[in-house]
Amino acid sequence: MAKNKKQEQKRIEEQRKKQSRETMSFNRFLLFRYVAAFFFFLNLYWLVLLIQGHQLTLLLPLLLMVAVLPVVWEHFKKLHDSSNKLPCSKVYFWIQLGVNFVLLLICVTPLFTDFYPFMSAKGKTLIITMLILGILLCLFMERRVNLIEHDRDRYLKTMQDYNDALK
């Protein structure tokens, strides 16, 4: 009876260690989930404002929202997949970066009012600032993807130290 209890405790402890390792691996990608959610809701807000203005340009934020869905799925799977490959994230952040760059160029043309009919000329500075911040954020995320895919991110060291401590 005591032997079974010890075996059960050992099994539970091994399960806890496994769960801890999976959670740490999952947390390695936490920033990606927050940034993807940020862009999703930013594009959703933009879409709602364009719908109210009855603009055909509403397809752009709608397509960006659809484009982020594979990223969400990719990171959802990371709970049980410890792979360091992030193909969907890599593609999405390049797409978002490209769109932000094109929109930045559009800000200095008369097309500005087609994409941002809810903003006055005074609001153009706010839009330009947000687009530049979005570009910088996408570049930062692309760098993070590169670091993770090449196992050069800082969090990996923390995970390895934790795994060593468990042994």
Side-chain angles (χ1 to χ4, degrees):
M1 185 93 145
K3 186 177 182 182
N4 284 342
K5 191 170 183 176
K6 279 188 173 186
Q7 286 177 339
E8 182 65 19
Q9 285 176 340
K10 186 176 181 176
R11 188 188 65 76
I12 290 171
E13 186 60 32
E14 287 300 316
Q15 187 65 28
R16 281 188 191 142
K17 287 178 182 179
K18 181 180 180 235
Q19 183 75 32
S20 292
R21 283 191 288 273
E22 284 179 349
T23 302
M24 283 196 79
S25 179
F26 188 65
N27 288 341
R28 184 180 186 193
F29 306 100
L30 189 63
L31 182 61
F32 291 97
R33 292 189 290 280
Y34 283 122
V35 172
F38 170 75
F39 279 122
F40 178 85
F41 286 108
L42 195 63
N43 288 320
L44 177 64
Y45 182 64
W46 183 27
L47 174 67
V48 168
L49 292 172
L50 286 174
I51 288 172
Q52 291 176 346
H54 306 289
Q55 293 292 322
L56 188 56
T57 53
L58 62 85
L59 292 176
L60 185 58
L62 184 62
L63 289 173
L64 288 170
M65 288 171 56
V66 169
V68 80
L69 295 178
V71 176
V72 172
W73 180 248
E74 178 178 71
H75 290 282
F76 176 74
K77 292 187 314 184
K78 289 295 177 193
L79 184 57
H80 300 292
D81 173 21
S82 60
S83 164
N84 64 347
K85 299 300 177 206
L86 300 164
C88 296
S89 297
K90 189 185 299 188
V91 169
Y92 172 73
F93 288 117
W94 278 120
I95 290 170
Q96 185 71 54
L97 180 121
V99 167
N100 282 16
F101 185 74
V102 170
L103 288 171
L104 190 60
L105 296 176
I106 286 173
C107 283
V108 296
T109 70
L111 289 174
F112 176 79
T113 55
D114 290 339
F115 287 88
Y116 303 101
F118 47 87
M119 295 298 283
S120 66
K122 291 179 182 177
K124 199 180 272 193
T125 305
L126 175 65
I127 296 296
I128 289 171
T129 302
M130 290 182 69
L131 289 170
I132 290 171
L133 289 174
I135 288 169
L136 293 173
L137 187 56
C138 286
L139 288 171
F140 177 75
M141 296 311 294
E142 285 295 340
R143 183 174 187 283
R144 294 273 310 191
V145 166
N146 191 13
L147 289 172
I148 287 174
E149 286 189 340
H150 292 95
D151 288 331
R152 293 185 315 199
D153 59 309
R154 281 189 239 150
Y155 198 79
L156 180 63
K157 171 88 169 97
T158 304
M159 286 173 32
Q160 290 169 338
D161 290 346
Y162 180 73
N163 286 334
D164 291 345
L166 286 178
K167 292 178 183 175

